[in-house]
Amino acid sequence: MADFGWLDSRHSFSFGQYFDPDHMGFGPLRVINEDRVAPGGGFPTHPHKDMEIISYVLDGALAHKDSTGVGSIVRAGDVQRMSAGTGVRHSEYNASDRAPAHFLQIWILPEREGLAPGYEQKRFGPQEKRGRLRLIASHDGRDGSLTIHQDVDLYATLLSAGESVSHQVAPGRAAWVQVARGHVMVNGERLEAGDGIAVSEADAIRLEGRDDAEALVFDMAI
């Protein structure tokens, strides 16, 4: 984790000053940071290249600007995808000077280098995720999901206590489950907010809420 005053960031994989050679990512999944940004704080303009960057906003709102000319407000329930490709510069600030912003910053390695930079943003309301796995990003953008340049299906779910969802994992694929809020049982393992687990030797995943919970499931070719 890293605490800069304006930013409290917790890392699932090696990032910045946190380095663990045994946790450099999982398949094409390279970064999952849980970031809390203080009112008025944020990331000043900085560059990225050859990365698919997804922001999943849990609370508050982010003000985004980038060198492609995009400027937007990304609110709780919104999901943003920025393809850095050949190079992009962007800034991301808490859009409020009173309330904190809480979001997951996700980096996925693209299927190839040198893609054109791009941006996409969509909202997925609670009713779409309640008691089910809602596809929010995919390689082909099916079912109204964001399009990402990698063979990854990203699902989100909201679960109440005792509520469960299941997902089949096809041969040659694996999954990563990230808990954003609450407590979730994943194939019998109890996870809490901030925890993640790799699922690489099972043909199905079962998630059960132990209280009001929110989780992401990444289904990917590895």
Side-chain angles (χ1 to χ4, degrees):
M1 63 174 289
D3 189 345
F4 299 101
W6 64 269
L7 171 67
D8 178 0
S9 184
R10 297 166 188 254
H11 313 323
S12 292
F13 306 117
S14 292
F15 186 86
Q17 295 179 341
Y18 167 65
F19 176 74
D20 182 345
D22 294 327
H23 293 90
M24 296 300 296
F26 182 70
L29 184 56
R30 177 61 188 85
V31 167
I32 302 177
N33 291 348
E34 182 180 1
D35 291 342
R36 289 177 171 85
V37 181
F43 303 89
T45 302
H46 58 284
H48 289 287
K49 186 177 180 181
D50 291 323
M51 195 66 69
E52 300 289 287
I53 301 172
I54 297 171
S55 296
Y56 184 93
V57 181
L58 294 159
D59 294 298
L62 299 171
H64 169 94
K65 291 183 180 179
D66 67 45
S67 54
T68 70
V70 171
S72 67
I73 303 296
V74 191
R75 295 181 170 83
D78 291 344
V79 185
Q80 172 202 78
R81 184 269 301 165
M82 184 176 70
S83 297
T86 54
V88 68
R89 295 178 61 82
H90 82 127
S91 63
E92 208 124 44
Y93 282 88
N94 188 335
S96 171
D97 58 5
R98 297 184 301 276
H102 180 200
F103 72 107
L104 297 180
Q105 179 186 172
I106 300 158
W107 293 9
I108 296 172
L109 296 167
E111 59 194 354
R112 63 183 185 277
E113 296 181 351
L115 294 166
Y119 183 90
E120 194 176 8
Q121 178 178 328
K122 292 187 177 181
R123 179 170 183 79
F124 300 92
Q127 70 282 0
E128 298 183 68
K129 298 176 281 187
R130 175 63 61 190
R132 62 185 289 255
L133 287 166
R134 173 57 162 108
L135 185 68
I136 62 172
S138 64
H139 189 252
D140 56 5
R142 68 187 184 279
D143 298 333
S145 62
L146 298 169
T147 301
I148 51 177
H149 298 96
Q150 183 54 271
D151 187 2
V152 174
D153 289 338
L154 173 55
Y155 300 87
T157 187
L158 296 171
L159 298 172
S160 300
E163 197 169 29
S164 66
V165 292
S166 295
H167 177 72
Q168 295 296 125
V169 182
R173 301 181 71 83
W176 180 274
V177 179
Q178 186 76 21
V179 181
R181 301 188 217 260
H183 297 78
V184 178
M185 298 293 291
V186 180
N187 288 3
E189 296 285 336
R190 182 182 172 90
L191 305 182
E192 62 182 33
D195 289 343
I197 188 170
V199 181
S200 56
E201 296 182 359
D203 58 6
I205 307 171
R206 184 176 186 271
L207 288 73
E208 181 183 344
R210 307 303 288 177
D211 49 23
D212 286 336
E214 186 165 4
L216 300 181
V217 176
F218 300 80
D219 180 320
M220 65 196 87
I222 59 170

